[in-house]
Amino acid sequence: MRIDTERLILRRFEPEDTDAIVAMNANPKVMEYFAAPISREASIAHLKRISEHWETNGFGLLAFERCQTGQMIGFTGLTIPSYPVPASPCVEIGWRLTPDAWGKGLAFEAAQACLKWGFDKLDLKEIVSFTYKGNTPSRRLMDRLGMKRNKSDDFDHPMLTADSVLLRHVLYRLVDPTPDRK
């Protein structure tokens, strides 16, 4: 599986990506809107779950790298959440990037390609995304992608404790823009 955009190559994870994912997940800046940075062991377990998701569902998260350098700078893709959210059952788009890739439109470029893949190739009717209510950068990206928020879909994340400052999440939806496709 490979998707090429103007500046990026989106592809399945490879063993060579492990150190880059470990470094990204351990970075406090990257993980600001998550419960905590992720250990090496947890990152490796995450990569295993990504692979298993692909095997089970035929789609999943994709590493993305710069075309010019081949440097892996993040991931995006489509997953089925492993816990209930207001849109369940659903397919979620998510993303995570290294700080040097922030503010360049790369997450938007990668997410647009994944949305197109989801609607055109996977025949999805709706794709959702959710984040901590205070995660302004991700919320701006959801808006830019044309996703819409309904406040009645906001929820307390079931994997966080009731006293977590990150507990309240917002959910955005995007319906297939060409619903009459055959």
Side-chain angles (χ1 to χ4, degrees), residues 2-10 64-68 76 105-106 108-114:
R2 178 178 160 144
I3 301 171
D4 293 280
T5 71
E6 182 180 332
R7 299 178 291 170
L8 301 170
I9 297 168
L10 286 71
F64 65 89
E65 62 186 48
R66 295 178 191 267
C67 290
Q68 292 181 331
T76 189
L106 297 169
F108 177 73
E109 187 174 323
Q112 273 191 311
C114 281

Side-chain angles (χ1 to χ4, degrees), residues 101-180:
W102 295 353
K104 298 173 175 65
L106 297 169
F108 177 73
E109 187 174 323
Q112 273 191 311
C114 281
L115 290 170
K116 181 172 177 37
W117 170 49
F119 291 130
D120 293 354
K121 303 294 184 198
L122 302 176
D123 200 30
L124 299 173
K125 302 303 177 214
E126 178 181 72
I127 299 172
V128 304
S129 191
F130 51 88
T131 190
Y132 161 62
K133 69 178 181 178
N135 185 345
T136 303
S138 280
R139 291 182 66 180
R140 273 194 302 244
L141 179 53
M142 292 172 199
D143 287 333
R144 191 168 171 214
L145 290 166
M147 302 185 92
K148 302 295 180 205
R149 174 184 174 213
N150 182 329
K151 289 183 181 182
S152 68
D153 285 336
D154 293 357
F155 66 101
D156 291 342
H157 198 292
M159 302 300 286
L160 297 172
T161 60
D163 62 344
S164 172
V165 296
L166 303 173
L167 183 65
R168 196 67 179 162
H169 274 55
V170 293
L171 185 137
Y172 286 66
R173 299 173 186 258
L174 183 64
V175 175
D176 183 351
T178 55
D180 296 330

